[in-house]
Amino acid sequence: MNIAIVENEPDYRRQLCGLCSEYGESRHVRLTVESFPSAEAFLASFSEGRDSLVFIDIYMEEMSGVELAREIRQTDPHTLLVFCTSSPDFMPEAFSLHAFEYVTKPYTLERIFQILEDAQRIAAPASRYIRISSGRQTFQVLLDDIVSVVTAGHYLLIGLQDGTVHKTRLTAPAFLDLVEHDDRFLTINKGVIVNADHVDSVGTDCCVMENGSTFPIRVRDRQQIQQRLQDHIFQQIRRAQRHS
């Protein structure tokens, strides 16, 4: 998730940069944060699709935050805009530009984290990752890349989209805790978890993945598994519609 901060007050700019970076570290989300002291400085390097989220100070010298938002919207209808202000006076005009959120100063960790959490669900679900140990190495693994998780004794075999398999000493419940019970991950049998984003079909007794691999499912739970898969697909469509 690429975040831009357009804030002309140095102290607030540094605080917001720090809170965004802290969010990425604490939630295991890959993000970049770039700050700009003015709308003009931001526009000098702006391009469509570069930023997932832009924090915009409404009260700035020369070009205001609302004017900057109009410039952004002329070329990029999808970037999430968050207006930052000490007064709500310009909020109606700001939201006419399809703002995602607004935040009042001074900033608080709780408010910024909530905004980033909501934005991350919409703008960059693929940016979340976990850290796992395999052999003597530690890896950052994107949740989006995980296809399957299978119990093997006291270990898990975590299969990735590129065919890599990491063997790590972890239990299936611990893995689900690690990914914060992300609704992509479905338990289809004892010790077998699959990523719904990579499921091709569910048969009478097995789950077929996009890469051709198959995993047995609990036959008695087949309808429930299919329903969870359909619910997940529906939620993905709703998120895409909100983003568009």
Side-chain angles (χ1 to χ4, degrees):
M1 185 158 64
N2 297 320
I3 299 173
I5 296 170
V6 189
E7 166 67 75
N8 70 341
E9 297 184 61
D11 289 344
Y12 281 132
R13 190 164 65 246
R14 283 191 293 269
Q15 182 192 16
L16 199 47
C17 285
L19 289 172
C20 289
S21 297
E22 186 175 345
Y23 172 84
E25 287 291 326
S26 65
R27 302 299 173 87
H28 289 178
V29 174
R30 287 182 179 175
L31 54 81
T32 60
V33 182
E34 191 172 6
S35 64
F36 303 87
S38 68
E40 293 79 7
F42 172 81
L43 288 174
S45 63
F46 171 70
S47 61
E48 181 181 1
R50 186 194 67 174
D51 302 305
S52 312
L53 177 69
V54 184
F55 285 94
I56 303 175
D57 183 13
I58 286 185
Y59 298 102
M60 293 188 289
E61 298 175 2
E62 298 185 22
M63 183 181 288
S64 71
V66 172
E67 291 171 327
L68 172 58
R70 288 200 189 98
E71 290 288 328
I72 293 172
R73 282 292 178 248
Q74 285 182 8
T75 57
D76 193 332
H78 300 302
T79 295
L80 303 179
L81 305 180
V82 177
F83 286 100
C84 309
T85 181
S86 54
S87 169
D89 293 346
F90 285 92
M91 283 303 102
E93 187 176 6
F95 276 103
S96 72
L97 295 164
H98 304 289
F100 174 67
E101 263 288 8
Y102 80 94
V103 59
T104 55
K105 303 175 185 179
Y107 304 125
T108 65
L109 180 145
E110 291 79 11
R111 179 65 175 138
I112 297 302
F113 272 35
Q114 184 59 61
I115 290 172
L116 292 174
E117 188 75 26
D118 292 341
Q120 190 268 327
R121 289 195 186 102
I122 295 172
S127 66
R128 291 188 58 208
Y129 68 90
I130 58 174
R131 288 192 180 94
I132 61 170
S133 297
S134 183
R136 296 185 178 182
Q137 293 181 286
T138 299
F139 298 91
Q140 288 185 2
V141 177
L142 291 172
L143 300 194
D144 195 54
D145 287 343
I146 298 174
V147 174
S148 60
V149 179
V150 180
T151 299
H154 297 293
Y155 293 85
L156 290 183
L157 303 179
I158 300 178
L160 305 185
Q161 197 169 7
D162 63 2
T164 301
V165 177
H166 290 301
K167 184 178 181 180
T168 184
R169 193 173 181 85
L170 201 65
T171 64
F175 170 82
L176 292 174
D177 287 341
L178 194 60
V179 300
E180 298 177 343
H181 294 268
D182 189 297
D183 62 10
R184 284 174 283 185
F185 295 100
L186 310 180
T187 301
I188 63 169
N189 210 328
K190 185 177 180 180
V192 180
I193 300 168
V194 297
N195 185 338
D197 288 342
H198 297 292
V199 172
D200 181 70
S201 62
V202 177
T204 56
D205 60 356
C206 70
C207 183
V208 182
M209 310 304 290
E210 291 174 338
N211 63 8
S213 58
T214 61
F215 298 94
I217 64 171
R218 288 187 298 257
V219 176
R220 67 178 183 273
D221 295 335
R222 182 171 63 88
Q223 289 186 333
Q224 181 182 356
I225 293 167
Q226 287 179 320
Q227 185 62 55
R228 284 194 61 193
L229 181 60
Q230 290 171 1
D231 291 345
H232 174 75
I233 293 171
F234 177 71
Q235 290 299 323
Q236 292 290 84
I237 293 171
R238 289 188 62 189
R239 289 167 187 165
Q241 288 174 338
R242 285 199 297 267
H243 185 39
S244 62

